[in-house]
Amino acid sequence: MTNGVTIGQAAAFVGVTVKTVRHYHKLGLIEEPERDSSGYRRYGSADLLRLVQTRTLAAAGVPLAEIGPLLDTDAERFAAALADVGRQLTERIEELITRRDTLHRLADGDRALLPDRAVALLERMPGLGFTADEVAATREGWVLAKALVPDGFDDYLTHFAHALEDTQLVALTRRAAEAAAWEPDDSRIAELATAAANHYLANPALLKTVTGLQARTEAATRYTLIAHHGEEQTPAAARLTALFETRLRAAGTHFPRPEFR
């Protein structure tokens, strides 16, 4: 055959590289034309048509392994196959949109790992007197809680929001933060633990902020990981926590005993 075009011309006409054309040959998507008397392979109109079809389907997202059978099938199956590819592309688009949204949320800090309700509560805490370190510790604990006890996390946030409205509880919490700097044998620690426990017991709804993140399986392990995450407790803080938990348990409140401290 002396008419037709060379592989370089065919690639240029169709808008692909010579390497791509050869790759299509290797996969069997396009048959290699016979060589002419000069030793060149010449691509005729039918070859170019097949090359255009292959390039178009590949650009549309059809896997190369599926293009050959697709081009060799009848019109009805071709349309059905394209519809299936379309569905797959839609799923990929949705996945990419989700990834993009996650990146946007990452740029906004906490919103990639926590729901908007949790972020709003964290943003309220500084105005109630919580330090940046306390807010950060709460944030990290919530990220763990959402992952380890996802079923109870939303309800927990509801109880936490109610707790922030309790001015006496907030005051007790602020006092507990101050107590971390006391001597561990300070008599005020026992008094504070008793006052805090009594306040929780007098307001049963508040206990949900203590018991609300219990898991159905490996409860103690999960509870410990969440409740004591990031703690580098001072001796005073450790004693306050232990006394508080002991008083609640003595009153019949059930929550997992930490497996390690």
Side-chain angles (χ1 to χ4, degrees), residues 37 113 164 187-189 220 261:
S37 58
L113 300 172
L164 288 184
S187 61
R188 293 175 297 173
I189 292 177
R261 298 297 294 270

Side-chain angles (χ1 to χ4, degrees), residues 6 72 82 85 150 183 187 208 217 223 233 240 242:
T6 64
D72 296 331
L82 285 186
V85 172
E183 293 298 322
S187 61
K208 292 294 186 180
T217 61
Y223 170 79
Q233 284 192 322
L240 176 61

